Structures are given as structure tokens and as C-alpha cells.
Amino acid sequence: MAFKINPQKTFNLSPPSLLAIGFLSFIIIGTILLKLPFANKGNVSWMDALFTATSAVTITGLSVVSLNDSFNHFGQFIILLLIQSGGLGFMTFAILAALSLAPKLGLKQQMMAQDSLGQTSLSKVTFVAKGVVLYTLFFELIGVIILTASFAPIYGFARGLYYAVFYSVSAFNNAGFSLFENSLISFQSHYLICLTISILYTLGGIGFLVLIDVKQNKRWSKLTPNSKLILSTIAILNLVAFVLIWLLESNNPLTLGSMSLGEQAMNAWFQATVPRSSGFNTIDTGSMEHSTALLTMLLMFIGGGSLSTAGGIKVGTFVILLLCVISFLRRNEEIRIFNHSVSQETTYKALAVAAITGMLVFVGCFILFLLEPKLDVLDLMFEVVSAACTVGLSRGATGQLHDGSLFVLSVLMFTGRLGPLTLAYLIATPKKSRLKHANANIQIG
């Protein structure tokens, strides 16, 4: 996309570059606003403001300060706007702005939107962009109504409505920011609040393309292979994680051990679905068994659906990698899913996303191990995976980190939200060559 500064100078920005600049602009503006004296209560440093703004724009949810103790209502409102802008995505705003100025997008603008929204058809770009906004506002409104009915009897209507708006937006956008010191632990026995918030972040993490497909076709047989893959995989992952977490934590008195059977089921389900990318918790994450923490890190790494508010490598990527391995072991010539073939390009993309995300996690862990030698290794690994996959769950180590470590996590959140594949395009622009080389016999395994 070309931006003319003057007749002599023209700057050409690729879609990944524009996306990166857009998110970075939101972070810088958010940092400045949160540092204003009328946005905080005087105990927020520049690093605190930068980390909070980055976490909000990247819809991660990690925080080094208490939102309620450090920011007033104006500051909390700024955080909410950053969450919403990060959730809807800078590119969606850019598309809608262009739509308001012109009846149709130009070819370059359509290509930019197609790149950011993951669409293969240019004609669907504007339709999807509108759908993203409408679905977001619709589900958030439903969440506000239900949560207001839940919070109002406890805090009064005005305060209950305020909490309902904040948590509905934070939940659907998979941000996980909480106005309570202990996230949602105080509501671990409040079934309606827990269930509503879990439904909101699950819907947000499924992906807008899938939601649109379900609304249009309504029957499983008519859904696209992508929608079937996302829905079935998330259902299986949630069910398996639910059973495992319940079994692993049922005898832990610091988590599920002291609860009734119904409360155990509700909170096990909540903690099983949260790693899709939300950062809420109804039990003390730092008190979970090491096995549960490791399982949670795997679930965070996988994440949710593409074109969603979730993070991670995405469930589609995870399934393609599994199918790739299975096809190789079975000596199949192609990878098939729901009677459809998966292209080689899609397989390469899946491998690239997983590899780059894995490298980001490794580098993040390596640096934090050097900077924070006194902190527990598992806790540091958990924070790094949570940041790189924009989840926001924490075992309590984030608040103990030095500014250098917080900056590392901020970079991980930014690159995680930007997308590993987009980051790869930024670093190395694809080049086509007519020169063909002889095959090399490289030994594998």
C-alpha cells in the first residue's frame, strides 16, 4: 500500500509492515495515555504503562500492577479501548475506515485486507470485516446483560453494569484482564458468572470465519472443512483437558481438593478452556500441580482458531502438523481432512508457524533464565509461553520480574499477537527463482 508524503517521496508498506506499525501505534498511544496523571493513581511507572498497554493491545492479560489499585476509571476505560481495538484488530478498523470513504476497496487495499484476514477470496474481505465487528458487539452485549444480572445483586446496578461491560469485553476478546486482585477466584462457586465468561472467551477463540460459516449453513454436513476441523478439535481438546485437570487437581487442597463435586467440575472446565487464550483463572494457577502446569503450557501453545481473539499457533496448525506426521508414517501421498486434500503450501505454513513460535519461546526462556536466576524455572517458562501465545495466565512470577525481563515479555506479546508467519514475512520477503537445484540427500532421524 502506498502512502504519499509529498510528490517526490512515496513509501510502500507491505500488509505485514502496516499491521505491525498499526499495533505498535496503539501500544505507544496507550502507554502515553496510561501514564497521564488523570489516568493512574500515581504509582504507575513508564515500564508499568508500557507493559499494560502492550498486554491490552495484544489481548494477553498479563499485568504487573493491580488495575483497580493503580488505575482510576479513566485509566481502566483506556485499557478497555485498547483491548477492544486489539481484539477487533487494526486491519479490521482500517478496512471499515476505507469502506466509509469509498464504496469499494481498491485492489491493493483488498490484497492488504485479504492478507490480514486470511481470506482466499477478495470478494469476501469486506463481508468478513463487517462480520467481525457485528459478531463482537453482539456477543459482548449478550455478555453484558447476563453479567449485569449476576453482578448487580452483589455490587449494585451501576457498579455491576461497569463490571459487566469490562468483563464481557475482556472475556470475548480473550484478554483476561480483571478488576479483582485474584482474577475470578472469588467467583469460583458462582456458576452463572463462570459459565458466561467461559462461553464468551470460547466463542471469541473459535474464530469469526467459523462463526459466520455456522450461521450461514447451520448443518454440520454443509460446514467447510476448516470449520469442522476447528470445532471438532477444540471440543476434543477441551474435553480431554477437562478430564485430565479434574483428575490431576482433585486431591490438591490448594485448587480443587476443597470444593464440592459440582464446583470441581465447573472450575476444572474453566481451567481446561481458559488456555485457548484467555487469562482468567478461578483457582490459584501457582498452586497447580507441575503436571497440570505443563499441560496448560501445551494448551496455551496450541491456542484457538484462526482469525479469532485467541493466541497460540492455532488449532488448525496443530492438526495439520499431526496429520503430516500420520500421513508420513502411513506413507500416504497427500494429507487429507474431511475428504479434502491439504496443500503443500498450507503444510509449510503450519511448520513455519510452529517452528517460529517454538523458537520465540526458547529465546524468551533463555533470556529470562539469565536475567532472573533466583526465580523458579517452571514459573518463568509458564510466563514466557503465556506471553508468546498471548494467553495471560500467570503463576505469579510476572510481578517479581525486573524491567529488562518485562520488556522481553512485552516483545514476546507483540510478536505473538502479530503472528509468527507475519513476522517471518517481515524478516524475509519471499523471493522466486527460476534456477532449479539438484536434490540433496539429507538424513533425517
Side-chain angles (χ1 to χ4, degrees), residues 72-342:
N72 54 32
H73 287 154
F74 177 76
Q76 293 169 11
F77 178 70
I78 293 300
I79 293 172
L80 201 65
L81 287 181
L82 294 175
I83 292 171
Q84 190 74 286
S85 61
L88 288 175
F90 169 78
M91 298 306 292
T92 308
F93 276 125
I95 295 166
L96 292 178
L99 282 174
S100 66
L101 297 175
K104 291 185 178 180
L105 293 177
L107 181 59
K108 287 187 176 180
Q109 287 78 8
Q110 289 189 47
M111 292 297 293
M112 176 185 70
Q114 177 187 349
D115 233 11
S116 66
L117 294 176
Q119 279 294 292
T120 55
S121 172
L122 291 175
S123 62
K124 292 183 179 180
V125 170
T126 55
F127 174 74
V128 173
K130 291 178 181 178
V132 168
V133 176
L134 292 176
Y135 274 77
T136 298
L137 297 179
F138 173 76
F139 286 119
E140 286 178 353
L141 178 60
I142 298 298
V144 168
I145 294 173
I146 298 175
L147 290 176
T148 300
S150 301
F151 284 129
I154 304 173
Y155 301 103
F157 179 77
R159 195 176 175 191
L161 176 62
Y162 178 75
Y163 284 153
V165 171
F166 190 93
Y167 280 92
S168 183
V169 173
S170 184
F172 185 77
N173 287 287
N174 275 251
F177 275 101
S178 177
L179 296 176
F180 302 114
E181 192 70 31
N182 59 357
S183 190
L184 295 174
I185 293 179
S186 300
F187 301 95
Q188 59 186 200
S189 60
H190 201 301
Y191 293 93
L192 185 58
I193 291 177
C194 291
L195 187 61
T196 301
I197 290 178
S198 68
I199 291 175
L200 284 172
Y201 63 63
T202 299
L203 287 172
I206 286 176
F208 295 103
L209 289 180
V210 177
L211 294 175
I212 293 172
D213 189 26
V214 171
K215 180 179 182 296
Q216 288 181 330
N217 296 303
K218 296 180 176 63
R219 294 175 59 184
W220 179 263
S221 59
K222 293 184 177 181
L223 296 180
T224 64
N226 177 70
S227 297
K228 292 178 180 179
L229 182 147
I230 299 300
L231 291 173
S232 58
T233 305
I234 288 181
I236 293 171
L237 285 173
N238 288 347
L239 183 60
V240 172
F242 164 66
V243 174
L244 289 176
I245 290 176
W246 195 352
L247 291 174
L248 293 170
E249 297 295 326
S250 59
N251 294 321
N252 186 347
L254 299 177
T255 55
L256 301 180
S258 59
M259 299 180 185
S260 66
L261 193 64
E263 290 175 348
Q264 283 189 355
M266 181 69 251
N267 287 275
W269 174 257
F270 195 94
Q271 294 306 131
T273 54
V274 150
R276 290 281 72 73
S277 187
S278 182
F280 295 112
N281 59 286
T282 58
I283 62 175
D284 184 6
T285 311
S287 299
M288 293 191 308
E289 301 289 349
H290 287 179
S291 55
T292 308
L294 187 62
L295 172 63
T296 302
M297 282 193 283
L298 173 62
L299 295 172
M300 290 193 294
F301 187 81
I302 296 172
S306 299
L307 190 54
S308 73
T309 56
I313 63 172
K314 305 297 188 292
V315 294
T317 303
F318 173 70
V319 172
I320 293 302
L321 292 177
L322 285 182
L323 292 177
C324 183
V325 173
I326 294 172
S327 295
F328 173 78
L329 294 177
R330 291 181 174 178
R331 296 294 188 267
N332 293 333
E333 293 183 357
E334 62 179 2
I335 301 173
R336 293 185 293 271
I337 180 73
F338 295 111
N339 297 320
H340 286 73
S341 177
V342 178

Side-chain angles (χ1 to χ4, degrees), residues 30-36 39-40 44 49 52-53 71 75 78-79 82:
T31 300
I32 296 173
L33 290 175
L34 291 177
K35 194 63 179 71
L36 294 175
N40 63 77
V44 176
T52 303
F71 297 101
I78 293 300
I79 293 172
L82 294 175

